[in-house]
Amino acid sequence: MTDTTIDPFDADGLGLDVQSLRLVKAVADEGSITGAAAVLGYSQPAISQHLKRLETRLGVPLVERVGRSVRLTEAGRVLARHAPAVTTALDAAAGELAQLRGGRTGRVRLVSFPSASPTVVPRLLRELAETNPGIQVTYVEAEPPEAVEAVREDRADLALTFSYPGDRDDPHGASARGLSVRTAGHDDMLAVLPLRHPAAQHDDFDVATLASENWIAGCPRCRGHLMELCGRAGFEPRITFETDNFVAVEGLVAQGIGVATLPRLAVEAFPRLGGVVTRPLPEGERRTLHLVTAHGAERVPSIRAVLDTMMHVLPTVLAGKGAEG
């Protein structure tokens, strides 16, 4: 005889529960039942059986076979899409209860761009260790588009990102719709020049004087800003080298291979190489830093603590002044 008993706490009597939502979301994220089992800490047969029982309760298939792999059906994608909102609300409730018991605990998944790794992140982790030792932070590097996507797909709780003025593909626009995006500060942009370059002798130099130079471009977003910057100065830069490694950028500039622009965070991330000087670009060229979370994530005490600590740390880090050459 089939058990048709419905749990009164299931969503609208459909037989939904939080663990099932987490399971379906894991299948969506990992692309396989085996991957979901590894992430959730269950055996592959246990995941398969749970899915079959859930499909029976709901009356619709949630996964379909595609060769040797599986993918979610439309019904499965519906559940996966709603899972982050449900699990975030429950995490918030659990966190508040933990606070009532005394002590803020939890795990926060942070993602940010490379130049934040040696500058912002260590200061953040040190302060959290002193003020909230019960909070565990995991960290992954990613450029802004991938970081925003990680928050949307519930692979990260908090992303520190950036955007440039005039960014035509700003990931904080349409792609961040439905997420919470907070302005967290501004990172000055610097021109990076060989020590004996004529333009290095003036603090208020004009970018237009570099029109005939070879340029070293960085990440796609940095390259886009370089094109916009030079376009506003009336010329198209002759880009002869491209590298995401800001140490390599300084090394190339020091050898007279070209000139470049770098954010102050990148310049402050390591000791200045000999033979290199920086000069500030106009204030309007600063990149804006953002904190991206799911809507309502700030109600989770551990995430709120990391957000507050980040907002406390960032002004100090961004105000750090390296030698100007």
Side-chain angles (χ1 to χ4, degrees):
M1 180 176 177
T2 302
D3 183 3
T4 58
T5 302
I6 299 296
D7 186 335
F9 292 99
D10 286 343
D12 293 330
L14 289 177
L16 286 175
D17 59 86
V18 177
Q19 186 59 23
S20 293
L21 288 175
R22 292 188 189 277
L23 188 153
V24 174
K25 183 66 168 60
V27 173
D29 290 342
E30 302 302 318
S32 70
I33 292 176
T34 300
V39 167
L40 297 176
Y42 294 105
S43 67
Q44 189 269 344
I47 296 292
S48 297
Q49 291 170 14
H50 191 119
L51 280 172
K52 289 178 181 178
R53 289 196 298 269
L54 182 59
E55 289 176 329
T56 299
R57 293 203 303 269
L58 298 178
V60 291
L62 300 175
V63 296
E64 57 186 358
R65 289 282 175 186
V66 181
R68 295 186 176 183
S69 61
V70 299
R71 66 184 177 192
L72 295 183
T73 63
E74 183 177 358
R77 292 193 295 272
V78 168
L79 292 186
R81 188 171 69 249
H82 288 282
V86 175
T87 56
T88 295
L90 287 171
D91 288 343
E96 290 179 20
L97 289 173
Q99 277 193 300
L100 290 175
R101 292 196 301 269
R104 187 174 293 172
T105 62
R107 181 172 72 97
V108 177
R109 300 164 297 171
L110 172 66
V111 60
S112 188
F113 49 91
S115 59
S117 296
T119 53
V120 178
V121 175
R123 298 276 284 273
L124 173 75
L125 296 180
R126 184 185 68 184
E127 187 157 325
L128 281 170
E130 295 172 352
T131 59
N132 292 277
I135 296 177
Q136 176 190 359
V137 177
T138 61
Y139 177 63
V140 175
E141 275 189 5
E143 295 293 343
E146 292 74 27
V148 171
E149 184 180 6
V151 174
R152 177 177 298 285
E153 295 183 351
D154 195 30
R155 291 183 284 109
D157 302 302
L158 172 63
L160 176 63
T161 61
F162 66 82
S163 63
Y164 284 106
D167 193 342
R168 299 175 183 177
D169 298 311
D170 187 352
H172 308 92
S175 62
R177 188 171 294 124
L179 301 176
S180 175
V181 181
R182 303 169 178 82
T183 298
H186 296 89
D187 189 13
D188 294 336
M189 292 299 297
L190 305 173
V192 185
L193 309 169
L195 181 61
R196 302 190 184 282
H197 193 285
Q201 311 310 312
H202 308 284
D203 287 338
D204 57 348
F205 82 101
D206 187 345
V207 173
T209 62
L210 304 177
S212 62
E213 300 287 346
N214 291 329
W215 285 83
I216 304 160
C219 72
R221 312 210 79 74
C222 303
R223 187 183 193 279
H225 174 253
L226 174 61
M227 299 297 291
E228 295 283 344
L229 169 70
C230 295
R232 287 189 285 272
F235 69 96
E236 181 176 343
R238 183 171 63 246
I239 297 174
T240 55
F241 290 88
E242 296 187 44
T243 175
D244 291 344
N245 186 329
F246 37 83
V247 181
V249 170
E250 285 204 13
L252 290 166
V253 172
Q255 296 303 316
I257 304 301
V259 298
T261 63
L262 284 175
R264 185 178 292 280
L265 280 180
V267 173
E268 297 286 343
F270 57 94
R272 182 79 53 79
L273 296 183
V276 172
V277 64
T278 64
R279 289 291 176 261
L281 294 178
E283 188 173 288
E285 300 298 338
R286 298 183 303 175
R287 65 178 183 177
T288 301
L289 304 189
H290 310 273
L291 290 169
V292 183
T293 65
H295 274 308
E298 69 279 359
R299 299 197 308 270
V300 180
S302 56
I303 296 177
R304 177 78 260 171
V306 176
L307 279 169
D308 290 345
T309 305
M310 182 74 81
M311 292 301 291
H312 180 258
V313 164
L314 274 174
T316 302
V317 176
L318 294 173
K321 301 295 183 181
E324 288 300 317

